[in-house]
Amino acid sequence: MRFTGTDSYVATDDLTVAVNAAVTLERPLLVKGEPGTGKTELARQVSNALRLPMIEWHIKSTTKAQQGLYEYDAVSRLRDSQLGDAKVNDVANYIKRGKLWQAFEADGRVVLLIDEIDKADIEFPNDLLQELDRMEFHVYETGETVRAKHRPIMIITSNNEKELPDAFLRRCFFHYIRFPDIDTMRKIVEVHHPGIKDALLTTALTQFYEIRDQQGLKKKPSTSEVLDWLKLLLAEDLTSEDLKRDGASALPKMHGALLKNEQDVHLFERLAFMARSQR
C-alpha cells in the first residue's frame, strides 16, 4: 500500500515519501503549507490512489474534540421523556457518532482527514492525544469502549495560524508543502489545463511569480488561484501578447483572480505610477 501520486495530483518526491512514511509508522501525517497548496486535496488523492473510503472532519473555531468522538443529546432525551416516548429507555438513541467513531468502526481501513486543525482552540489537539495513541475511547453514557477495528490513515492539515502543542507534534509525522517552483507548477497546470500554449503559460507564470515576489504584498496568490486565473485567460482566448503590460498599469489581466484585497491592488497601482513618474 504505497502512494505515488495520481493522474490529477502532482506529488513531489518528498511528499510521497512523507505519506508512505506516515502509513508505515501508523502515525497521523501533519501537513502544513500556504493556503491553496493542495493540503486538503492530498487526503482525497491518497484515498483515491489507495482505493480506501474517506471520512472528512472539517474543523471550525467552535469545534470541540469531543464532537469527533460523539455527542450526547440530553435535550432531546428530556423532551422525549416528557412526551412519554419509549425510546428514552435506551440512551444509545441519543448518542450521535462523530467522525473518529465512524473511522474506528469502519469494516476496513479508511482515510480520515482532520482539516485545518489550527482553527480550533489550542486545547483541541491535546484533547485528542489519548485517542490518537490508543485508538480507542470510552462512551460514559453507555459504558462501552469504542476501539478501532483498523487503524485509519490520518491526514491532519494546518495553515499555521497557531502553534500546535509539542505533545501533539510528537505523535505525528510532519511534512511542509513548499510552494511549487516554476517547473513543478508547469506540471500542475498541465494536469488541470492540458495543451495550454507554451508561450501563454510562460508569460502567465512569469507574471504570477513576479507578483508573488513583490515586497509588501499582503496575500500572495496561491496555486489554486493561478489555476483559476489561467482558466479565465483561456476562456477569454487571450494570448501571450495580450498579457504584456503597456506600462500604464502594473496589474495583470483579470487580476481579481490573483489579488484578493484592495491593499495589494493599490500596491501595484502605486508601482505603475512610480514607474511612469521616473520616465
Side-chain angles (χ1 to χ4, degrees), residues 192-211:
H192 293 271
H193 303 298
I196 187 171
K197 292 181 179 178
D198 186 66
L200 174 62
L201 180 58
T202 299
T203 303
L205 289 184
T206 299
Q207 290 186 10
F208 171 72
Y209 280 96
E210 286 175 354
I211 290 173

Side-chain angles (χ1 to χ4, degrees), residues 89-195:
N89 297 318
D90 186 358
V91 69
N93 291 323
Y94 303 93
I95 300 292
K96 180 183 178 182
R97 299 180 179 187
K99 300 296 186 180
L100 279 172
W101 191 333
Q102 294 172 32
F104 284 7
E105 72 173 357
D107 291 330
R109 205 170 191 189
V110 302
V111 175
L112 173 62
L113 168 66
I114 303 180
D115 197 30
E116 298 189 329
I117 193 172
D118 53 326
K119 279 187 175 180
D121 183 85
I122 189 62
E123 290 304 318
F124 180 95
N126 282 332
D127 291 341
L128 289 176
L129 293 181
Q130 179 172 315
E131 288 72 25
L132 294 181
D133 270 347
R134 300 183 181 180
M135 284 288 130
E136 66 177 38
F137 61 89
H138 187 70
V139 183
Y140 295 98
E141 289 78 6
T142 63
E144 65 180 308
T145 298
V146 177
R147 294 185 178 87
K149 296 179 182 178
H150 305 273
R151 196 176 187 101
I153 296 174
M154 199 174 298
I155 297 178
I156 303 172
T157 72
S158 169
N159 288 327
N160 242 355
E161 291 183 8
K162 62 170 68 81
E163 289 295 323
L164 299 173
D166 289 345
F168 177 80
L169 295 175
R170 284 199 302 271
R171 289 162 170 80
C172 299
F173 189 93
F174 173 76
H175 181 74
Y176 184 85
I177 297 182
R178 294 179 179 85
F179 195 83
D181 59 27
I182 194 165
D183 291 332
T184 304
M185 186 64 80
R186 283 179 172 274
K187 296 176 184 177
I188 294 172
V189 171
E190 182 61 32
V191 167
H192 293 271
H193 303 298

Side-chain angles (χ1 to χ4, degrees), residues 211 217 219 221 251-252 255-261 264-265 268:
I211 290 173
L217 200 65
K219 183 196 175 301
L251 291 167
H255 64 268
L258 299 175
L259 303 175
K260 298 302 178 73
N261 60 67
D264 289 343
V265 173
F268 281 91

